Amino acid sequence: MFQTGGLIVFCGLLAQTTTLLEALSLPLEHTLFLEVTPGQDPSPTDLAGDLTDGLSSGLLSGGLLDILENLPLLNILKTGGGTSGGLLGGLLGKVTSMVPLLDSIIELKITNPQLLELGLVQSPDGHRLYVTIPLGIVLNVNTPLTSSLVKLAVKLNITAEILAVKNDQGKIHLILGDCTHSPGSLQISLLNGFAPLPVQSLVDSLSSFLNKVLPELVQGEVCPLVNEVLSELDVTLVHSIAELLIHGLEFVIKV
């Protein structure tokens, strides 16, 4: 009697288990649908990356490289200084007696303009972003008698502050705050090796000139473009970032 009762209980449990398994057996496509549900909101990492990608693409499509390539350095060089020949005449006067070919007018040609990878940091209070815009050019110092006298690699960082503001209608948007060249970021190096003493004198004078002129010149050309690009970013991206900045929430990962 005991064995028969045990068999009945066992069969009952087996039947219940079989029924339960059949109920849980869903088609494959239904199972995948239940397990894979994409998130609706981008992660903080996505927001930071999308912002730098959007700014970089906007700067390039907005003509940044053409702006760098057409900086009026030669015009500024010719009209600078206090002598009738400008700073250019002063530079030539330093080396003409030693190198006769420099008696001709020097040409300054900018080539290989570059926008390097943008940097992004968030202020400690979480309400501001600082975008570092690294730029690079090659400055070719030529005379009519030489194809390339001196090649200088020039790098400079522009730093743009981004803020979130709310207008009278309660709409939040991003604006450009301070935009300036990063102090001490200007780097000038000679690309074509060792220069003879007269040419090195010219390089030193040009480096001094660039340190005085180039940062503000680039800043004046690039910052308006940054402001324009910022106003044309994707609306959803701007709103998501602005909301986080308004509330001081951190979303830029520190490295």
Side-chain angles (χ1 to χ4, degrees), residues 149-153 188-196 199-200 203 207:
L149 175 62
V150 174
K151 288 181 177 287
L152 296 176
I188 304 171
S189 58
L190 186 64
L191 284 180
N192 47 351
F194 176 76
V199 176
Q200 185 61 52
V203 170
S207 297

Side-chain angles (χ1 to χ4, degrees), residues 58-70:
L59 289 170
L60 291 174
S61 63
L64 173 65
L65 300 186
D66 288 336
I67 290 174
L68 295 177
E69 197 166 10
N70 292 285

Side-chain angles (χ1 to χ4, degrees), residues 82-97:
T83 63
S84 59
L87 182 55
L88 178 61
L91 291 176
L92 286 174
K94 293 181 179 180
V95 295
T96 297
S97 60

